[in-house]
Amino acid sequence: MRSSASIAFLCIASTLAFSPTSSSTPKGLMPQQSSRRKTSHVSLILSKIRTSLSSTTNDIEFDWRTVAKDLFQKDKRPIILFDGVCNLCNGGVNFALDNDSVGNFRFASLQSKAGQSLLKRCGKKADDISSIVLVTPKKAYFKSDAVLRIAAKLDGNPILPLAGYFGPIVPGFIRNRVYDVVADNRYRFGQTDQCRLDFDDEFGGRFVADEL
């Protein structure tokens, strides 16, 4: 059983991490194609975001407590925080969107006001982009724990929920070691100064608005 769980975890980690993406993709475009989506005219629009992380401090200049609270006032769905300037991470977002047909999750970049506010709520620094984060109204999950909880709710492939449910059998220090290796090398797959947004409402408000 432990061996099967290990294989399942590695499958989901590899799938989420190495989703089709390319650093050679022209700016302004994000490759996106789903076998379930037949309309070829649907496109993904990228919007400029500020990414000067070196200038970000722990003292952010807005009421992050109010922002974090408001994010779950009307919509209780968990929010996935991802690195908005990482091509590899954007590929993971594409993958999650294509395999979450019922819309279990929402998305926000770690660099956004929403992302910074939720990081602060979790006890992290506002400029901490070291890990994917899954935030619920009451809790937050990081690294491989976040990946497995996300996988458990995806429905595009039967192996995804299986990996999510049985993956925790693998000791956390092993899972997080695999995660850290991928995360530490994610920028080798390219960076962008843009972040994927749901411009044409194709995903029904799955991206958290950052108009605060």
Side-chain angles (χ1 to χ4, degrees):
M1 175 65 73
R2 183 177 294 273
S3 176
S4 298
S6 299
I7 294 173
F9 170 72
L10 291 177
C11 287
I12 180 58
S14 299
T15 305
L16 284 176
F18 298 102
S19 307
T21 184
S22 171
S23 58
S24 63
T25 302
K27 282 189 176 182
L29 295 177
M30 178 65 65
Q32 174 67 25
Q33 184 176 11
S34 170
S35 59
R36 297 172 298 167
R37 192 171 294 119
K38 303 273 178 91
T39 54
S40 60
H41 67 280
V42 175
S43 62
L44 296 176
I45 307 300
L46 299 174
S47 176
K48 294 279 186 177
I49 63 172
R50 295 178 180 177
T51 59
S52 55
L53 298 179
S54 60
S55 63
T56 303
T57 67
N58 210 20
D59 298 320
I60 52 182
E61 298 179 350
F62 56 87
D63 186 355
W64 62 267
R65 291 181 178 84
T66 298
V67 174
K69 181 179 179 181
D70 288 347
L71 288 170
F72 293 102
Q73 285 290 346
K74 296 181 179 180
D75 193 336
K76 303 299 184 183
R77 289 179 299 171
I79 298 174
I80 298 173
L81 302 181
F82 64 98
D83 185 347
V85 301
C86 167
N87 282 345
L88 187 64
C89 305
N90 276 284
V93 172
N94 292 343
F95 180 85
L97 284 168
D98 289 339
N99 288 275
D100 182 14
S101 64
V102 297
N104 287 307
F105 300 105
R106 293 179 288 161
F107 300 84
S109 72
L110 288 160
Q111 293 90 344
S112 66
K113 288 184 179 180
Q116 291 176 5
S117 299
L118 291 175
L119 283 172
K120 293 281 287 182
R121 197 201 78 171
C122 299
K124 300 287 186 178
K125 293 182 179 180
D127 60 354
D128 186 347
I129 60 170
S130 61
S131 170
I132 186 176
V133 187
L134 176 64
V135 186
T136 71
K138 295 184 178 180
K139 295 183 178 181
Y141 304 90
F142 303 87
K143 296 187 176 183
S144 65
D145 288 336
V147 172
L148 291 176
R149 285 181 174 272
I150 294 169
K153 296 296 184 179
L154 298 181
D155 55 12
N157 188 308
I159 196 174
L160 299 176
L162 287 176
Y165 289 124
F166 292 105
I169 295 176
V170 180
F173 74 91
I174 295 178
R175 291 187 276 111
N176 286 332
R177 177 56 181 165
V178 174
Y179 180 91
D180 287 338
V181 169
V182 175
D184 290 345
N185 292 279
R186 66 188 185 276
Y187 290 131
R188 292 187 179 184
F189 296 85
Q191 293 178 257
T192 177
D193 61 350
Q194 300 172 318
C195 174
R196 174 178 177 167
L197 295 178
D198 190 19
F199 181 80
D200 55 5
D201 201 32
E202 179 185 357
F203 293 100
R206 301 281 297 282
F207 289 87
V208 175
D210 200 32
E211 303 172 351
L212 307 170

